[in-house]
Amino acid sequence: MTDNVILCGVGGQGTVLASKLLAASAMDRGLPVKTAETIGMSQRGGSVFSHVRIGEGAASPLIGRGRADLVIAFEPAEAARQLPFLRDGGTLVVSDRPIVPVSATVGGPAYDLEAIMAYLRKSVKHLVVVDAQRAAADLGSTKCLNVVLLGAAVRAGALNLTPQDIEGAVRRLVPARFLDLNLKALNWG
Amino acid sequence: MHKEFLMGNEAIALGALAAGVQVVAGYPGTPSTEVLETVAKRKPKDVYVEWSVNEKAAMEVAAGAAYAGARSMVTMKQVGLNVASDPLMSLEYVGVKGGMVVLVADDPGPISSQTEQDTRTFAGFSKVPIFDPSSVAEAYAMVRDAFELSERLGSPVFLRPTTRVDHGYEAIDVLEESEWEHRTPEGFVKDSSRWVIFPRLSTANHAKIERRNQELSKELSASRYNFVTPAAKDAGKRGIATHGISYTYVCDSLPEDARPSILRVGTPFPFPEELARDYLDGLDEVLCVEELDPVIERALIQVCGKYHLATRIRGKLTGDVAPSGENTVESVGEALRRFLKPGSDGPSRSAADKAMEAPQLPIRPPVLCAGCPHRASFYAVKAAMRGKKTIYCGDIGCYTLGNARPLDMVDTCLCMGAGISIAQGVYRVEPDTTCFAFVGDSTFFASGITGAVNAYYNQANLTIVVLDNSTTAMTGHQPHPGIGRTMMDEVVQAVSIERVLRAIGLTTVETVDPLDHVRAVDTVRRVAQEPGVKAIIFKSPCVVLERPLGGCAIDAQACVGCKRCIRELGCPAISLADNKAVIDAAQCTGCTLCKQLCPTKAIHTIGDKTAGGR
């Protein structure tokens, strides 16, 4: 049995750390983990994704289309882009704060947030929308969105992991000076 | 032994250290970079590691170390092998004494590269044996065996992971540091009949190499890296031949109890011919599931011809597998379905349906960061040259992203260091064009100097623009000769780009801060007018490294919504809201370029970073 998770967003949003936290939490539970990361050119503001496969039976680190149990999207348009990977009945956790690319303001395809959110609502039954603005205001930082989203995913029951599992990994992997902020972020919402 | 959660590249580095590697040299390039970085991070004191100026230098450093009997490794991406191919082609003829692993990371897609070249093909061409891992754990195991094979044969040996193995993570068993090998090399033993390449040596050694590879092919038929998994059920005399990450896609696509027999090839050169012959014997059809070149497919066709086998070999050459691009779980699954159950329905369309209904999504190509000094450099040249007939030859690095609108300042990009020489060629045909060649600091050292000497000597007329951000940014901020710090953490005399250019003979070499827009534009206008080869060095540190503390903000009252900042600069921190420009404080670094441009002075600096201000 494999749990397939895709994390997606824009280069620089912290998807890689989130996937490491997820992997570490699963390994603490004694589960095998494979992950695949986007590293390189796309990290400069491009679309990025991490695939995380937890449990026995995964040969490849990558997840096929329609096979992800959970998609954690750091950005609405990236959620829509990765949606074909979500299986029927899968869960989508998405931050509602758009990051508008330069291309959309210099003549490329426009960013229609309303249409994107409507599409997500229509296509996904198990949808958790995270109010990133409010999270940032409450926590005093935009830098821990990744942990906010992980917390939301765990509480939605979309992972076979508990908030305590994630907390253990946060305590180990997050630098001491950001620990309090990230622990608050994990339990936010 | 203990378990570690490792990236493929980290596993390769630890495997090399466990095998007692003593000298590691390389040049950064995605997806290979983390191998050398991990060696530097995890190495014992007596292991030497360097970022060389380019792959050719790195290959030669590693070869010299192996001549002296040490185990050595050289790391690069696939296009780096083109640069290093001159020493490698000859090195195969000369041979090595200590084991030497040539780590070349291939990039199907390509995701972060210029080409989709396949190092397995290069192995056949150069006659160098090659290992092709399918997983992080296998890459770790293969490094050690590659060193042993190299030492036994007296030949360099390739290890060739692809992006998904390089950047895949897995928890694997690794040796304790106390279990790592420690070796005392014999040292270089003078013998000009061995180490000096002359036609006589080449003739003799070429014959030996061909014989050796034939023998090795037999031996590799029994290697644990080449294996057959038997059919779980009667698959109607069909089989699958595959390799690398594609092997895992095959496994994930077919449930274990529905698999036909699989030939997994881990050493595509020399090809395990006898194993393949025994595998094919009795099969009607075999589908080759490969990424990049049809290496296994061609080898199997050859085996069929040689042994008069009637097996039909299918794959890229028969149109059953895409001839280019990266394989995916889907593409492999679909190829297997068509092969094993021809005429059956494809997978449920729900995934494709979802994609169909999606609203139009914004495109998100990689962009220069907010505050990137390259944006200011490009914009200064653009502003200075408005209305003139120009060509802007670009090069490889973050600054290739200067091609995107609205900057649109990269007219050509070919390979490392090519921009300067391409500009010369254009000038020879169009002497009335004002030619610029943009080159980064690391690229300048890698192969820009050659072009600069060539341009100067051959009397070209062009402006070399060095974009000096004091790092190798695109690949994750590696040091280079201009920085004054090595991978051994020594502080050394930096090589001055300005002095190199002056030593070549250039009399006009001006260094200017690109973020001082007015001065930068003046400099470009003045320098570009001068005859011959001249240079401007735009010097300003990479913002990702420097992390400035300041920022800019827009006074909504003063902003008239002219969009000049957006239209001209394309900074990801600036967007439009209610017809006014707004700056995203989380991204803005306070470079002040937009502030210097704003016609209504609506942009001001916040924070104290630019105290004294621009």
Side-chain angles (χ1 to χ4, degrees):
Chain A
M1 184 56 204
T2 318
D3 274 332
N4 295 320
V5 185
I6 290 178
L7 301 104
C8 60
V10 177
Q13 277 195 300
T15 50
V16 176
L17 177 61
S19 102
K20 283 200 170 150
L21 289 170
L22 208 50
S25 312
M27 281 163 59
D28 288 347
R29 292 278 295 264
L31 297 166
V33 181
K34 287 191 169 127
T35 75
E37 305 291 355
T38 318
I39 296 169
M41 216 178 203
S42 308
Q43 285 178 297
R44 305 268 175 267
S47 302
V48 294
F49 61 79
S50 299
H51 287 203
V52 182
R53 308 192 69 190
I54 302 170
E56 301 289 345
S60 150
L62 288 147
I63 299 163
R65 279 172 179 255
R67 295 193 203 175
D69 304 292
L70 167 67
V71 172
I72 302 177
F74 288 49
E75 206 278 339
E78 296 314 309
R81 214 185 298 281
Q82 296 293 328
L83 205 59
F85 281 89
L86 189 66
R87 70 169 165 80
D88 290 334
T91 303
L92 171 65
V93 177
V94 59
S95 156
D96 65 353
R97 182 179 162 266
I99 296 180
V100 180
V102 172
S103 67
T105 47
V106 295
Y111 195 122
D112 187 344
L113 180 62
E114 267 174 44
I116 289 170
M117 289 307 293
Y119 165 65
L120 296 179
R121 289 206 171 87
K122 191 184 67 174
S123 317
V124 185
K125 211 166 105 195
H126 303 288
L127 176 70
V128 179
V129 178
V130 171
D131 185 337
Q133 206 77 44
R134 200 162 62 78
D138 289 354
L139 297 165
S141 169
T142 56
K143 305 270 179 199
C144 50
L145 177 65
N146 48 9
V147 175
V148 170
L149 291 169
L150 278 185
V154 174
R155 281 192 301 279
L159 287 163
N160 291 315
L161 295 169
T162 63
Q164 289 71 36
D165 293 330
I166 308 271
E167 184 179 325
V170 167
R171 285 186 184 280
R172 262 190 304 126
L173 294 181
V174 170
R177 62 201 162 104
F178 300 123
L179 187 58
D180 274 352
L181 173 65
N182 279 281
L183 290 177
K184 268 187 222 148
L186 185 60
N187 296 309
W188 181 87
Chain B
M1 281 282 206
H2 66 282
K3 264 213 185 324
E4 270 195 63
F5 187 60
L6 293 170
M7 181 196 278
N9 282 342
E10 295 170 335
I12 291 166
L14 291 188
L17 289 169
V21 74
Q22 264 186 293
V23 172
V24 181
Y27 188 76
T30 311
S32 72
T33 313
E34 299 83 3
V35 175
L36 193 140
E37 287 182 329
T38 306
V39 169
K41 216 177 289 168
R42 304 285 294 264
K43 74 183 186 62
K45 272 201 177 66
D46 57 348
V47 172
Y48 174 79
V49 59
E50 72 168 43
W51 282 127
S52 308
V53 294
N54 63 26
E55 294 85 353
K56 173 173 150 67
M59 181 76 75
E60 291 152 356
V61 169
Y67 284 6
R71 286 192 168 177
S72 69
M73 180 162 74
V74 55
T75 74
M76 64 197 71
K77 68 184 295 176
Q78 89 285 33
V79 284
L81 181 58
N82 303 337
V83 178
S85 66
D86 195 8
L88 182 65
M89 293 301 291
S90 300
L91 183 64
E92 177 54 15
Y93 279 65
V94 170
V96 292
K97 189 160 75 179
M100 175 171 163
V101 171
V102 181
L103 183 282
V104 182
D106 282 357
D107 183 20
I111 300 169
S112 283
S113 303
Q114 304 98 295
T115 72
E116 274 200 295
Q117 65 195 67
D118 191 329
T119 299
R120 295 179 304 155
T121 298
F122 205 105
F125 173 57
S126 60
K127 310 184 192 304
V128 173
I130 187 165
F131 289 84
D132 181 12
S134 288
S135 68
V136 174
E138 195 175 46
Y140 179 77
M142 277 180 171
V143 187
R144 190 163 210 173
D145 288 334
F147 272 113
E148 264 156 33
L149 182 66
S150 165
E151 218 152 67
R152 185 154 60 78
L153 302 178
S155 160
V157 169
F158 278 123
L159 176 64
R160 174 267 189 188
T162 57
T163 307
R164 301 304 177 191
V165 173
D166 291 305
H167 291 163
Y169 281 80
E170 207 180 310
I172 63 164
D173 288 318
V174 294
L175 292 171
E176 303 294 335
E177 212 177 310
S178 57
E179 297 170 281
W180 291 0
E181 277 186 55
H182 287 277
R183 314 168 60 83
T184 311
E186 183 193 23
F188 182 76
V189 178
K190 290 191 184 206
D191 178 356
S192 65
S193 71
R194 179 172 182 186
W195 302 117
V196 181
I197 194 163
F198 268 116
R200 199 160 62 102
L201 174 140
S202 302
T203 309
N205 284 2
H206 184 190
K208 279 188 206 157
I209 290 164
E210 297 297 346
R211 258 199 319 279
R212 178 203 79 198
N213 281 345
Q214 281 207 351
E215 287 303 310
L216 189 57
S217 160
K218 290 197 181 102
E219 182 188 320
L220 289 172
S221 279
S223 160
R224 63 172 162 147
Y225 298 124
N226 300 309
F227 56 83
V228 171
T229 60
K233 63 165 201 178
D234 177 27
K237 295 193 169 185
R238 291 199 182 93
I240 292 160
T242 186
H243 73 123
I245 197 72
S246 297
Y247 170 66
T248 69
Y249 298 159
V250 170
C251 292
D252 278 346
S253 296
L254 296 171
E256 225 164 301
D257 55 6
R259 278 179 207 164
S261 65
I262 299 172
L263 170 66
R264 207 298 304 260
V265 178
T267 68
F269 184 83
F271 192 76
E273 188 180 298
E274 290 181 357
L275 176 72
R277 180 198 61 200
D278 296 347
Y279 174 70
L280 293 180
D281 200 6
L283 288 178
D284 291 339
E285 275 192 316
V286 168
L287 179 72
C288 299
V289 180
E290 291 185 82
E291 215 166 38
L292 303 180
D293 292 348
V295 172
I296 298 171
E297 191 176 348
R298 287 196 177 112
L300 291 185
I301 291 170
Q302 203 172 315
V303 169
C304 285
K306 189 166 165 185
Y307 297 98
H308 307 291
L309 301 174
T311 317
R312 186 168 173 233
I313 307 299
R314 291 168 60 178
K316 289 169 182 272
L317 301 173
T318 51
D320 291 293
V321 173
S324 64
E326 188 185 19
N327 286 345
T328 61
V329 182
E330 291 74 42
S331 72
V332 168
E334 183 58 16
L336 290 174
R337 187 190 59 74
R338 283 196 309 263
F339 176 67
L340 295 170
K341 293 180 200 152
S344 68
D345 286 338
S348 110
R349 304 296 302 163
S350 73
D353 290 346
K354 275 185 206 161
M356 295 271 284
E357 296 160 11
Q360 188 186 43
L361 295 177
I363 51 165
R364 214 182 281 283
V367 289
L368 294 173
C369 302
C372 175
H374 297 334
R375 177 178 294 104
S377 302
F378 283 126
Y379 188 64
V381 176
K382 188 175 188 171
M385 289 295 118
R386 212 155 256 157
K388 293 222 166 63
K389 188 182 175 200
T390 54
I391 182 163
Y392 302 121
C393 295
D395 224 299
I396 307 279
C398 281
Y399 53 99
T400 316
L401 302 176
N403 77 316
R405 279 187 306 168
L407 288 173
D408 189 18
M409 284 296 285
V410 176
D411 295 325
T412 72
C413 178
L414 185 66
C415 66
M416 289 285 289
I420 300 174
S421 329
I422 296 271
Q424 290 171 58
V426 171
Y427 164 70
R428 290 299 162 202
V429 182
E430 290 180 33
D432 61 331
T433 298
T434 308
C435 299
F436 286 86
F438 293 95
V439 62
D441 41 351
S442 185
T443 306
F444 178 80
F445 290 113
S447 50
I449 295 173
T450 316
V453 174
N454 194 60
Y456 179 79
Y457 164 63
N458 286 305
Q459 307 295 302
N461 188 345
L462 59 93
T463 305
I464 298 170
V465 182
V466 183
L467 303 173
D468 184 356
N469 60 357
S470 299
T471 188
T472 316
M474 179 58 97
T475 46
H477 304 99
Q478 291 74 30
H480 62 64
I483 289 167
R485 186 170 58 77
T486 70
M487 272 315 257
M488 294 296 282
D489 265 337
E490 303 150 310
V491 175
V492 298
Q493 179 67 52
V495 179
S496 153
I497 295 174
E498 178 163 347
R499 282 165 63 186
V500 168
L501 288 166
R502 288 196 187 281
I504 289 169
L506 276 67
T507 48
T508 301
V509 182
E510 296 213 20
T511 299
V512 60
D513 179 357
L515 294 170
D516 185 347
H517 182 64
V518 172
R519 219 185 122 220
V521 172
D522 277 354
T523 308
V524 175
R525 280 207 189 104
R526 202 175 58 248
V527 171
Q529 276 176 358
E530 291 188 27
V533 180
K534 53 272 174 186
I536 298 165
I537 300 170
F538 280 124
K539 199 167 172 66
S540 184
C542 173
V543 281
V544 177
L545 269 191
E546 203 71 356
R547 297 196 178 279
L549 296 169
C552 287
I554 296 177
D555 176 359
Q557 299 291 316
C559 176
V560 293
C562 72
K563 300 185 211 157
R564 181 158 187 227
C565 50
I566 293 172
R567 258 194 352 252
E568 297 282 295
L569 301 178
C571 174
I574 313 179
S575 57
L576 204 63
D578 300 329
N579 228 18
K580 305 260 182 189
V582 285
I583 291 177
D584 174 10
Q587 289 193 66
C588 180
T589 66
C591 80
T592 75
L593 187 61
C594 57
K595 176 184 167 185
Q596 297 173 64
L597 223 76
C598 178
T600 62
K601 308 259 179 279
I603 305 177
H604 56 276
T605 303
I606 49 176
D608 59 355
K609 186 206 72 142
T610 46
R614 293 186 178 106

